[in-house]
Amino acid sequence: MASPTYQAVSWNDGAVRLLEQRDLPHREHYKDYQGARETADAIRDMVVRGAPAIGCTAAYGLASEAFTIMKSRGIPNSWSDALAPGMETLRNSRPTAVNLMWALDELKPLVEERSADPATLPERLLAAAQKIFDDDVASCKAMGRIGAQLLPDTGDRPITIMTHCNAGALATAGYGTALGVIRGAVEMGRSVHVIANETRPYLQGARLTAWELLEDGIDTTLITDNMAGWLMQCGEIDAIVVGADRVAGNGDAANKIGTYTHSVLAKRHGIPFFVACPLSTIDRETASGSGIAIEDRDAKEVTEIFDKPIAPANVKVRHPAFDVTPAELITALVTEKGAVHPPSKEGIDTLFE
Ligand code: MRU
């Protein structure tokens, strides 16, 4: 499969370059973000989104903060003290996607290192951030190959795969998790048809997944979220593949709101339900899904579509941005180290050995 012409996250001369995902699919353009504050705002405001992409962005954001500090004030007495506020700002930019915290934790030992030359810290942070980025691409490709082999055999008929939200190249360093499995199937020579759920309220499915799959020439049909159950009942869906923002130690998986609904429907209709994510999305310190923080977002994202009100101004609104699918509803958790089916604490622990 040809490499995409777009890149959700990259490094550009001391700054984090982000594809402005809020303007897709109409306009493809990029902006540079300098330092931790600007980068954290971009994460919070959804310029970049998707768990692994947020992790890569935070890592580059911390490197950018270090370069910015050194340029304006020289080498600080303590890098740890100088970077602490920026690290905290980045860490708090979104609460559910654990890749964000994971990436910052990966960089922390460098920040706290006392024996290395402090003048080289920005360069060392950048190299570590680049490694997180490169590893994520490799992980996505590996889980794509592994997941594709688990998809059901449909004989001569194309396989129809449903996906929810966007867990693709736009949500990672490249290739994607759930869309990585779909790309893996295409690369294996399978004929694939994708049903993309639009994913209210932020429309990641309609705006991003549909765009990204069409860019690759993959046969894609868009539906609104409430059509999914009917298509399952009509026997039109062979498998469901989604990504994850945080998987607890027992395999419960937090992903975009609506994922849980689809997992229940999949169980009802005997459709295999796969969750694809890198090990960096697995948070073994959180024992089960009940411990995962669920982000509540602005009511306006529910009451308005593209700044146009669609509800009475005084209506009460709930807006949890994620839900948790219990491990028992997941056929297999697909990672770069192999698949665990069904997901369990024991199975997940073996991935880390
Ligand atoms: O709110 P978002 O767009 O950041 O939510 C993204 C998702 O829920 C994705 O499915 C998840 O991060 C997996 S990305 C490979």
Side-chain angles (χ1 to χ4, degrees):
M1 191 159 288
S3 298
T5 52
Y6 56 88
Q7 178 92 67
V9 189
S10 55
W11 179 258
N12 184 40
D13 194 21
V16 190
R17 175 158 288 187
L18 297 176
L19 170 59
E20 173 51 275
Q21 297 199 28
R22 296 172 301 183
D23 287 344
L24 288 173
H26 307 297
R27 201 170 148 230
E28 191 183 325
H29 65 113
Y30 295 81
K31 194 176 154 197
D32 290 347
Y33 297 85
Q34 198 85 45
R37 162 60 57 201
E38 285 188 13
T39 307
D41 287 347
I43 293 173
R44 184 176 304 103
D45 297 343
M46 306 284 278
V47 174
V48 61
R49 28 65 50 202
I54 294 173
C56 294
T57 302
Y60 282 139
L62 193 69
S64 172
E65 178 78 359
F67 278 105
T68 308
I69 288 173
M70 200 150 89
K71 208 166 162 190
S72 61
R73 315 185 230 151
I75 303 167
N77 290 335
S78 158
W79 270 118
S80 182
D81 290 348
L83 287 172
M87 216 152 175
E88 206 47 26
T89 305
L90 286 164
R91 187 177 286 274
N92 292 330
S93 55
R94 287 191 79 187
T96 305
V98 75
N99 302 62
L100 171 64
M101 299 79 185
W102 172 86
L104 293 170
D105 287 344
E106 287 287 294
L107 300 189
K108 212 169 171 193
L110 291 177
V111 175
E112 289 171 354
E113 157 94 77
R114 296 209 157 256
S115 53
D117 178 1
T120 62
L121 196 262
E123 285 296 346
R124 284 183 285 123
L125 284 177
L126 175 57
Q130 190 59 47
K131 180 168 175 356
I132 287 173
F133 182 95
D134 294 341
D135 287 352
D136 188 61
V137 179
S139 295
C140 286
K141 289 190 172 164
M143 86 184 75
R145 284 190 294 274
I146 293 166
Q149 282 159 8
L150 298 175
L151 294 171
D153 187 359
T154 52
D156 292 340
R157 186 172 60 74
I159 182 168
T160 297
I161 303 172
M162 175 177 281
T163 190
H164 190 67
C165 194
N166 173 267
L170 290 168
T172 59
Y175 203 76
T177 56
L179 299 196
V181 172
I182 287 167
R183 290 190 166 100
V186 171
E187 285 179 12
M188 273 170 61
R190 289 196 71 166
S191 176
V192 177
H193 170 224
V194 178
I195 297 283
N197 297 339
E198 80 172 334
T199 320
R200 271 282 288 152
Y202 221 80
L203 306 176
Q204 289 94 331
R207 294 187 304 103
L208 309 178
T209 296
W211 180 78
E212 150 165 9
L213 290 175
L214 292 183
E215 287 281 302
D216 270 6
I218 296 175
D219 184 20
T220 303
T221 300
L222 176 67
I223 61 167
T224 62
D225 300 326
N226 50 0
M227 298 170 185
W230 175 242
L231 293 200
M232 290 188 221
Q233 195 180 345
C234 290
E236 292 187 30
I237 310 299
D238 297 305
I240 300 177
V241 189
V242 297
D245 288 82
R246 186 185 299 232
V247 175
N250 70 344
D252 294 348
N255 190 48
K256 181 52 55 194
I257 192 75
T259 302
Y260 168 62
T261 314
H262 298 309
S263 73
V264 174
L265 285 162
K267 187 75 156 186
R268 169 77 175 84
H269 297 290
I271 298 166
F273 187 92
F274 300 102
V275 174
C277 71
L279 295 194
S280 53
T281 303
I282 301 179
D283 172 14
R284 288 191 297 163
E285 284 178 17
T286 300
S288 72
S290 60
I292 298 176
I294 299 295
E295 177 180 14
D296 268 309
R297 291 190 63 87
D298 194 337
K300 274 194 175 159
E301 291 174 4
V302 174
T303 57
E304 297 181 359
I305 295 185
F306 302 126
D307 299 326
K308 193 173 165 48
I310 56 160
N314 54 352
V315 70
K316 284 195 285 184
V317 171
R318 288 288 318 275
H319 185 189
F322 300 94
D323 58 26
V324 177
T325 298
E328 66 189 87
L329 296 178
I330 300 169
T331 309
L333 181 68
V334 182
T335 77
E336 71 274 31
K337 285 283 183 67
V340 185
H341 33 127
S344 64
K345 176 174 170 6
E346 297 68 35
I348 286 173
D349 284 346
T350 60
L351 297 171
F352 288 85
E353 283 170 0

